């Protein structure tokens, strides 16, 4: 764990081989495929088909509408995000107990083939460079957040510039990430870019303040489950936390006491917002 933390702090990314064993990775992939097929036909949150030629991600796989035919698959999905082996790693990185936030599935699009845009997630909340740098600087080496991506099929889709979470962009990086109104942000010439190689079941953790991007090629199958957590001391009420279905009777049925307790904390934090 201390090696993991050292690498997390210096690189802002870590690979965890075989976080899920191959049987479990296959089961999770199968259930994610069931969810994706239903979302493509009709997203229960909007009532509209989710499928679009350029769609690459869906959120809230744990919506109960996907599991009416297969309730055991919901418990299996929720158990992964509450797995002590997963939470131990998140807790080490955060330096405090993590709280659940969201599940996402990245998949290959049906009708586009693009290399992703280089970005720092900080740019979506801080348009102004000075404010963005202040945010990166104060987040420090452990970072404000963490993305945990678990490949369910082998994946080389994530690229990161290790160490970039600790500093502002070099001129060459800035020219790709932001210059000319983002005109060059799909460039394949990012200095220091490192492609993360994952087998099914391997996880990549990355600090979203680091320079990173995905890859969206229709011809390269992708199924990657992303688990997102927050520090309990920094809850954030928004689209990602808005999951009132946790209040439905029996929603946590089939989970062990430890996992139920983990989600009870999430419910206790947001219940009042959901009931507004
Ligand atoms: O995995 C991807 O395709 C992109 C992920 C990303 O940019 C993020 O999670 O912040
Ligand atoms: Fe991102």
């Amino acid at each position: 764990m201390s090696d993991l933390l050292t690498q997390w702090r210096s690189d802002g990314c870590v690979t965890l081989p075989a976080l899920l064993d191959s049987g479990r990775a296959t089961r999770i992939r199968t259930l994610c495929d069931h969810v994706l097929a239903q979302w493509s036909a009709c997203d229960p949150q909007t009532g509209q088909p989710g499928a679009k030629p350029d769609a690459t991600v869906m959120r809230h796989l744990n919506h109960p509408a996907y599991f009416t035919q297969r309730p055991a698959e919901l418990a299996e999905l929720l158990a992964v995000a509450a797995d002590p082996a997963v939470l131990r790693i998140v807790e080490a990185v955060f330096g405090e107990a993590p709280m659940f936030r969201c599940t996402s599935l990245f998949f290959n699009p049906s009708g586009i083939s693009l290399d992703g845009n280089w970005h720092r997630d900080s740019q979506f909340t801080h348009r102004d460079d000075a404010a963005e740098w202040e945010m990166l600087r104060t987040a420090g080496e452990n970072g404000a957040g963490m993305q945990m991506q678990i490949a369910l099929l082998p994946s080389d889709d994530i690229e990161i510039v290790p160490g970039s979470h600790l500093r502002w962009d070099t001129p060459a990086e800035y020219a790709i990430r932001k210059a000319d109104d983002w005109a060059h942000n799909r460039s394949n010439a990012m200095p220091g870019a490192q492609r993360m190689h994952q087998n099914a079941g391997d996880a990549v953790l990355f600090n979203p303040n680091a320079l990173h991007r995905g890859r969206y090629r229709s011809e390269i199958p992708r199924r990657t489950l992303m688990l997102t957590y927050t520090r309990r001391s920094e809850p954030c009420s928004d689209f990602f936390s808005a999951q009132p279905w946790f209040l439905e009777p029996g929603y946590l049925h089939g989970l062990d006491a430890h996992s139920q307790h983990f989600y009870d904390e999430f419910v206790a934090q947001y219940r009042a917002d959901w009931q507004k």
Side-chain angles (χ1 to χ4, degrees):
M1 195 63 91
S2 78
D3 287 355
L4 183 152
L5 265 183
T6 303
Q7 196 191 346
W8 172 260
R9 289 180 178 142
S10 62
D11 292 352
C13 58
V14 180
T15 304
L16 302 169
L19 183 67
L20 304 184
D21 66 39
S22 67
R24 197 169 182 202
T26 301
R27 290 198 305 280
I28 300 292
R29 191 189 76 216
T30 303
L31 78 82
C32 287
D33 281 343
H34 294 153
V35 171
L36 181 59
Q38 294 177 75
W39 173 85
S40 297
C42 181
D43 176 348
Q45 290 201 272
T46 62
Q48 303 293 317
K52 295 191 189 76
D54 60 350
T56 59
V57 64
M58 58 159 294
R59 311 286 180 183
H60 299 315
L61 283 86
N62 53 298
H63 192 295
Y66 298 124
F67 298 95
T68 50
Q69 303 301 316
R70 300 182 182 87
E73 293 191 347
L74 175 59
E76 173 118 38
L77 176 63
L78 291 171
V80 170
D83 191 313
V86 172
L87 297 183
R88 215 171 335 122
I89 292 161
V90 189
E91 178 156 354
V93 166
F94 282 178
E96 67 174 273
M99 188 164 63
F100 179 69
R101 180 157 170 76
C102 180
T103 56
S104 308
L105 182 71
F106 287 95
F107 51 87
N108 55 304
S110 61
I112 58 163
S113 199
L114 285 176
D115 293 325
N117 58 311
W118 285 102
H119 65 279
R120 303 177 187 265
D121 284 13
S122 50
Q123 76 194 46
F124 304 123
T125 45
H126 299 77
R127 289 270 157 187
D128 170 63
D129 285 358
E132 191 187 0
W133 168 229
E134 180 63 14
M135 186 271 188
L136 297 177
R137 204 178 57 71
T138 49
E141 56 183 8
N142 270 30
M146 191 196 84
Q147 317 285 50
M148 175 177 289
Q149 291 207 355
I150 305 175
L152 305 173
L153 289 173
S155 171
D156 292 329
D157 294 304
I158 286 285
E159 282 181 280
I160 296 178
V161 179
S164 55
H165 60 299
L166 298 173
R167 54 172 179 75
W168 189 241
D169 306 47
T170 65
E173 290 168 350
Y174 193 88
I176 291 175
R177 178 168 75 106
K178 275 193 149 175
D180 303 326
D181 283 335
W182 295 276
H184 318 291
N185 66 5
R186 295 186 195 276
S187 166
N188 291 323
M190 180 61 87
Q194 187 176 313
R195 199 172 277 289
M196 310 301 279
H197 302 288
Q198 293 172 270
N199 288 315
D202 294 352
V204 162
L205 313 187
F206 66 92
N207 182 331
N209 287 347
L211 285 155
H212 66 278
R213 68 169 175 173
R215 185 175 66 176
Y216 310 103
R217 300 273 193 86
S218 58
E219 71 282 11
I220 303 177
R222 183 181 188 198
R223 294 287 186 276
T224 294
L225 176 66
M226 185 165 84
L227 305 177
T228 315
Y229 301 91
T230 46
R231 289 180 168 81
R232 289 211 186 137
S233 61
E234 293 173 7
C236 175
S237 191
D238 59 10
F239 166 77
F240 297 100
S241 66
Q243 303 184 49
W245 50 81
F246 272 87
L247 300 175
E248 290 180 14
Y251 180 71
L252 298 178
H253 182 80
L255 289 177
D256 64 21
H258 168 275
S259 302
Q260 293 207 11
H261 177 72
F262 175 67
Y263 290 112
D264 285 346
E265 303 263 346
F266 175 68
V267 173
Q269 177 65 48
Y270 294 107
R271 174 191 296 273
D273 291 342
W274 298 338
Q275 289 175 329
K276 262 182 208 151

